[in-house]
Amino acid sequence: MTIVTPDLCDDYPEVLVVDPGFNNYGGIKAFGGEIVTVKCFEDNSVVKEQVGLPGEGRVMVVDGGGSKRAALLGDMLAEKAASNGWAGIIIYGCIRDVDVIGETSLGVQALATNPRKTDKRGIGDLNVEVTFHGVTFKPGHYVYADNNGIIVSEKALELPA
């Protein structure tokens, strides 16, 4: 499967384009799949729970409120997500351990990096609509990401082989 978001935008003009501002950090530079959402603020408890479950090629979209004060994803959670079959994680917030994540078989996009971990208070929502960077992400819709940007579709898109 080849994901090139400019080509997908040309072929599917109805897709939504996420406003720029995300950086590509994962070992997989182009990824996509069905959306699972997490809404949390400086507490990655729900992210930690989800990466421990079968990802089945889905993409976790994490609304961290845009906070740059702590990282919602680190190397251990990224490695667990990859081993459990997640295609990728998009974080409206920060990650850490970028050198290791860059070698992990997982797509990861985030706003920035921060070496500080989050608190674990068990706070967060799973599979609720989240909105950031001009787009609402809905569980069950699809997201595709590469070095050009991030796009969202209500349905799975036909990808070239």
Side-chain angles (χ1 to χ4, degrees), residues 41-44 64 66-73 91-96 112-119:
F41 186 75
E42 297 179 3
D43 179 342
N44 70 346
S67 173
K68 294 182 180 172
R69 296 189 298 204
L72 293 170
L73 181 74
I91 297 190
Y92 181 47
C94 289
I95 68 166
R96 65 187 202 160
T113 63
N114 187 315
R116 185 180 312 278
K117 68 180 180 178
T118 68
D119 292 331

mmCIF file of all heavy atoms in Angstrom, residues 41-44 64 66-73 91-96 112-119:
data_model
loop_
_atom_site.group_PDB
_atom_site.id
_atom_site.type_symbol
_atom_site.label_atom_id
_atom_site.label_comp_id
_atom_site.label_asym_id
_atom_site.label_seq_id
_atom_site.Cartn_x
_atom_site.Cartn_y
_atom_site.Cartn_z
ATOM 1 N N PHE A 41 -5.347 15.270 28.568
ATOM 2 C CA PHE A 41 -4.531 16.472 28.743
ATOM 3 C C PHE A 41 -3.464 16.179 29.788
ATOM 4 O O PHE A 41 -3.772 15.983 30.970
ATOM 5 C CB PHE A 41 -5.393 17.667 29.172
ATOM 6 C CG PHE A 41 -4.621 18.951 29.231
ATOM 7 C CD1 PHE A 41 -4.278 19.610 28.068
ATOM 8 C CD2 PHE A 41 -4.221 19.487 30.440
ATOM 9 C CE1 PHE A 41 -3.555 20.798 28.098
ATOM 10 C CE2 PHE A 41 -3.495 20.668 30.493
ATOM 11 C CZ PHE A 41 -3.169 21.323 29.318
ATOM 12 N N GLU A 42 -2.226 16.090 29.323
ATOM 13 C CA GLU A 42 -1.069 15.856 30.189
ATOM 14 C C GLU A 42 -1.225 14.614 31.070
ATOM 15 O O GLU A 42 -0.741 14.568 32.198
ATOM 16 C CB GLU A 42 -0.777 17.117 31.014
ATOM 17 C CG GLU A 42 -0.410 18.281 30.110
ATOM 18 C CD GLU A 42 -0.138 19.581 30.842
ATOM 19 O OE1 GLU A 42 -0.169 19.625 32.085
ATOM 20 O OE2 GLU A 42 0.126 20.587 30.143
ATOM 21 N N ASP A 43 -1.919 13.604 30.531
ATOM 22 C CA ASP A 43 -2.106 12.313 31.192
ATOM 23 C C ASP A 43 -2.290 11.275 30.094
ATOM 24 O O ASP A 43 -3.304 11.283 29.402
ATOM 25 C CB ASP A 43 -3.335 12.355 32.110
ATOM 26 C CG ASP A 43 -3.597 11.034 32.823
ATOM 27 O OD1 ASP A 43 -3.071 9.980 32.394
ATOM 28 O OD2 ASP A 43 -4.354 11.041 33.806
ATOM 29 N N ASN A 44 -1.310 10.397 29.913
ATOM 30 C CA ASN A 44 -1.383 9.430 28.816
ATOM 31 C C ASN A 44 -1.889 8.060 29.247
ATOM 32 O O ASN A 44 -1.637 7.066 28.576
ATOM 33 C CB ASN A 44 -0.041 9.318 28.093
ATOM 34 C CG ASN A 44 1.029 8.650 28.917
ATOM 35 O OD1 ASN A 44 0.901 8.471 30.126
ATOM 36 N ND2 ASN A 44 2.115 8.285 28.259
ATOM 37 N N GLY A 64 -4.284 15.919 22.702
ATOM 38 C CA GLY A 64 -3.632 16.288 23.952
ATOM 39 C C GLY A 64 -3.776 17.764 24.270
ATOM 40 O O GLY A 64 -3.011 18.308 25.072
ATOM 41 N N GLY A 66 -2.952 20.175 22.598
ATOM 42 C CA GLY A 66 -1.851 20.968 22.081
ATOM 43 C C GLY A 66 -0.784 21.281 23.119
ATOM 44 O O GLY A 66 0.118 22.068 22.863
ATOM 45 N N SER A 67 -0.870 20.644 24.286
ATOM 46 C CA SER A 67 0.102 20.923 25.351
ATOM 47 C C SER A 67 1.505 20.518 24.933
ATOM 48 O O SER A 67 1.719 19.429 24.399
ATOM 49 C CB SER A 67 -0.272 20.170 26.629
ATOM 50 O OG SER A 67 0.757 20.327 27.589
ATOM 51 N N LYS A 68 2.445 21.403 25.222
ATOM 52 C CA LYS A 68 3.853 21.112 24.950
ATOM 53 C C LYS A 68 4.638 20.986 26.252
ATOM 54 O O LYS A 68 5.856 21.054 26.254
ATOM 55 C CB LYS A 68 4.439 22.193 24.043
ATOM 56 C CG LYS A 68 3.802 22.180 22.663
ATOM 57 C CD LYS A 68 4.400 23.200 21.744
ATOM 58 C CE LYS A 68 3.726 23.139 20.386
ATOM 59 N NZ LYS A 68 4.158 24.232 19.534
ATOM 60 N N ARG A 69 3.935 20.766 27.359
ATOM 61 C CA ARG A 69 4.594 20.685 28.667
ATOM 62 C C ARG A 69 5.020 19.273 29.059
ATOM 63 O O ARG A 69 5.795 19.113 30.002
ATOM 64 C CB ARG A 69 3.681 21.258 29.749
ATOM 65 C CG ARG A 69 3.416 22.739 29.535
ATOM 66 C CD ARG A 69 2.704 23.364 30.682
ATOM 67 N NE ARG A 69 1.395 22.764 30.892
ATOM 68 C CZ ARG A 69 0.400 23.383 31.500
ATOM 69 N NH1 ARG A 69 0.564 24.594 31.989
ATOM 70 N NH2 ARG A 69 -0.756 22.777 31.656
ATOM 71 N N ALA A 70 4.508 18.253 28.359
ATOM 72 C CA ALA A 70 4.861 16.863 28.671
ATOM 73 C C ALA A 70 4.581 16.006 27.440
ATOM 74 O O ALA A 70 3.782 16.374 26.585
ATOM 75 C CB ALA A 70 4.067 16.358 29.868
ATOM 76 N N ALA A 71 5.232 14.854 27.363
ATOM 77 C CA ALA A 71 5.102 13.957 26.217
ATOM 78 C C ALA A 71 4.036 12.900 26.468
ATOM 79 O O ALA A 71 4.043 12.233 27.504
ATOM 80 C CB ALA A 71 6.435 13.281 25.925
ATOM 81 N N LEU A 72 3.145 12.726 25.502
ATOM 82 C CA LEU A 72 2.076 11.727 25.608
ATOM 83 C C LEU A 72 2.491 10.362 25.055
ATOM 84 O O LEU A 72 1.768 9.391 25.214
ATOM 85 C CB LEU A 72 0.827 12.219 24.877
ATOM 86 C CG LEU A 72 0.162 13.441 25.507
ATOM 87 C CD1 LEU A 72 -0.903 14.007 24.584
ATOM 88 C CD2 LEU A 72 -0.424 13.082 26.859
ATOM 89 N N LEU A 73 3.656 10.287 24.404
ATOM 90 C CA LEU A 73 4.144 9.033 23.830
ATOM 91 C C LEU A 73 5.652 8.991 23.967
ATOM 92 O O LEU A 73 6.331 9.976 23.689
ATOM 93 C CB LEU A 73 3.759 8.936 22.344
ATOM 94 C CG LEU A 73 4.179 7.665 21.618
ATOM 95 C CD1 LEU A 73 3.294 6.491 22.034
ATOM 96 C CD2 LEU A 73 4.123 7.859 20.109
ATOM 97 N N ILE A 91 -0.458 12.737 17.378
ATOM 98 C CA ILE A 91 -0.606 13.363 18.691
ATOM 99 C C ILE A 91 -0.635 14.879 18.575
ATOM 100 O O ILE A 91 0.332 15.492 18.107
ATOM 101 C CB ILE A 91 0.527 12.921 19.637
ATOM 102 C CG1 ILE A 91 0.421 11.415 19.856
ATOM 103 C CG2 ILE A 91 0.462 13.701 20.951
ATOM 104 C CD1 ILE A 91 1.287 10.854 20.926
ATOM 105 N N TYR A 92 -1.751 15.443 19.006
ATOM 106 C CA TYR A 92 -1.866 16.896 19.119
ATOM 107 C C TYR A 92 -1.262 17.264 20.468
ATOM 108 O O TYR A 92 -1.944 17.496 21.448
ATOM 109 C CB TYR A 92 -3.339 17.302 19.010
ATOM 110 C CG TYR A 92 -3.584 18.795 19.082
ATOM 111 C CD1 TYR A 92 -2.825 19.685 18.328
ATOM 112 C CD2 TYR A 92 -4.589 19.295 19.890
ATOM 113 C CE1 TYR A 92 -3.058 21.043 18.394
ATOM 114 C CE2 TYR A 92 -4.832 20.660 19.954
ATOM 115 C CZ TYR A 92 -4.066 21.528 19.208
ATOM 116 O OH TYR A 92 -4.307 22.882 19.281
ATOM 117 N N GLY A 93 0.058 17.212 20.483
ATOM 118 C CA GLY A 93 0.857 17.402 21.685
ATOM 119 C C GLY A 93 2.266 16.929 21.387
ATOM 120 O O GLY A 93 2.696 16.919 20.234
ATOM 121 N N CYS A 94 2.973 16.495 22.430
ATOM 122 C CA CYS A 94 4.386 16.133 22.297
ATOM 123 C C CYS A 94 4.645 14.642 22.473
ATOM 124 O O CYS A 94 3.853 13.921 23.068
ATOM 125 C CB CYS A 94 5.214 16.880 23.352
ATOM 126 S SG CYS A 94 5.345 18.635 23.029
ATOM 127 N N ILE A 95 5.818 14.239 21.964
ATOM 128 C CA ILE A 95 6.356 12.899 22.204
ATOM 129 C C ILE A 95 7.774 13.067 22.739
ATOM 130 O O ILE A 95 8.325 14.164 22.762
ATOM 131 C CB ILE A 95 6.359 12.036 20.927
ATOM 132 C CG1 ILE A 95 7.370 12.573 19.903
ATOM 133 C CG2 ILE A 95 4.961 11.949 20.340
ATOM 134 C CD1 ILE A 95 7.674 11.606 18.779
ATOM 135 N N ARG A 96 8.372 11.943 23.159
ATOM 136 C CA ARG A 96 9.776 11.949 23.581
ATOM 137 C C ARG A 96 10.439 10.678 23.054
ATOM 138 O O ARG A 96 9.789 9.869 22.404
ATOM 139 C CB ARG A 96 9.894 12.059 25.100
ATOM 140 C CG ARG A 96 9.345 10.880 25.861
ATOM 141 C CD ARG A 96 9.354 11.181 27.345
ATOM 142 N NE ARG A 96 9.347 9.958 28.135
ATOM 143 C CZ ARG A 96 9.717 9.894 29.392
ATOM 144 N NH1 ARG A 96 10.151 10.974 30.016
ATOM 145 N NH2 ARG A 96 9.671 8.757 30.049
ATOM 146 N N ALA A 112 5.559 18.401 18.527
ATOM 147 C CA ALA A 112 6.920 18.708 18.975
ATOM 148 C C ALA A 112 7.391 17.599 19.920
ATOM 149 O O ALA A 112 6.699 16.593 20.111
ATOM 150 C CB ALA A 112 6.942 20.064 19.687
ATOM 151 N N THR A 113 8.554 17.829 20.523
ATOM 152 C CA THR A 113 9.101 16.893 21.496
ATOM 153 C C THR A 113 9.281 17.594 22.841
ATOM 154 O O THR A 113 9.447 18.814 22.908
ATOM 155 C CB THR A 113 10.459 16.342 21.034
ATOM 156 O OG1 THR A 113 11.393 17.413 20.947
ATOM 157 C CG2 THR A 113 10.331 15.661 19.688
ATOM 158 N N ASN A 114 9.236 16.777 23.896
ATOM 159 C CA ASN A 114 9.493 17.254 25.249
ATOM 160 C C ASN A 114 9.975 16.051 26.052
ATOM 161 O O ASN A 114 9.324 15.004 26.025
ATOM 162 C CB ASN A 114 8.220 17.835 25.876
ATOM 163 C CG ASN A 114 8.481 18.489 27.223
ATOM 164 O OD1 ASN A 114 9.171 17.943 28.071
ATOM 165 N ND2 ASN A 114 7.899 19.652 27.426
ATOM 166 N N PRO A 115 11.085 16.140 26.766
ATOM 167 C CA PRO A 115 11.598 14.975 27.483
ATOM 168 C C PRO A 115 10.799 14.594 28.736
ATOM 169 O O PRO A 115 10.993 13.517 29.277
ATOM 170 C CB PRO A 115 13.024 15.387 27.855
ATOM 171 C CG PRO A 115 13.008 16.875 27.878
ATOM 172 C CD PRO A 115 12.000 17.284 26.849
ATOM 173 N N ARG A 116 9.893 15.445 29.186
ATOM 174 C CA ARG A 116 9.132 15.175 30.422
ATOM 175 C C ARG A 116 7.962 14.232 30.151
ATOM 176 O O ARG A 116 7.213 14.416 29.207
ATOM 177 C CB ARG A 116 8.600 16.489 31.001
ATOM 178 C CG ARG A 116 7.895 16.319 32.336
ATOM 179 C CD ARG A 116 7.365 17.635 32.890
ATOM 180 N NE ARG A 116 8.339 18.718 32.853
ATOM 181 C CZ ARG A 116 9.298 18.912 33.769
ATOM 182 N NH1 ARG A 116 9.408 18.101 34.790
ATOM 183 N NH2 ARG A 116 10.127 19.925 33.650
ATOM 184 N N LYS A 117 7.790 13.214 31.008
ATOM 185 C CA LYS A 117 6.646 12.314 30.882
ATOM 186 C C LYS A 117 5.415 12.940 31.532
ATOM 187 O O LYS A 117 5.519 13.889 32.309
ATOM 188 C CB LYS A 117 6.952 10.947 31.495
ATOM 189 C CG LYS A 117 7.103 10.947 33.003
ATOM 190 C CD LYS A 117 7.399 9.550 33.501
ATOM 191 C CE LYS A 117 7.562 9.543 35.017
ATOM 192 N NZ LYS A 117 7.797 8.205 35.529
ATOM 193 N N THR A 118 4.255 12.383 31.216
ATOM 194 C CA THR A 118 3.010 12.890 31.797
ATOM 195 C C THR A 118 2.738 12.206 33.132
ATOM 196 O O THR A 118 3.311 11.167 33.455
ATOM 197 C CB THR A 118 1.792 12.612 30.896
ATOM 198 O OG1 THR A 118 1.546 11.208 30.852
ATOM 199 C CG2 THR A 118 1.990 13.158 29.499
ATOM 200 N N ASP A 119 1.798 12.781 33.846
ATOM 201 C CA ASP A 119 1.259 12.115 35.029
ATOM 202 C C ASP A 119 0.351 10.990 34.559
ATOM 203 O O ASP A 119 -0.141 10.992 33.427
ATOM 204 C CB ASP A 119 0.429 13.096 35.872
ATOM 205 C CG ASP A 119 1.295 14.174 36.496
ATOM 206 O OD1 ASP A 119 2.482 13.909 36.769
ATOM 207 O OD2 ASP A 119 0.776 15.287 36.703
#
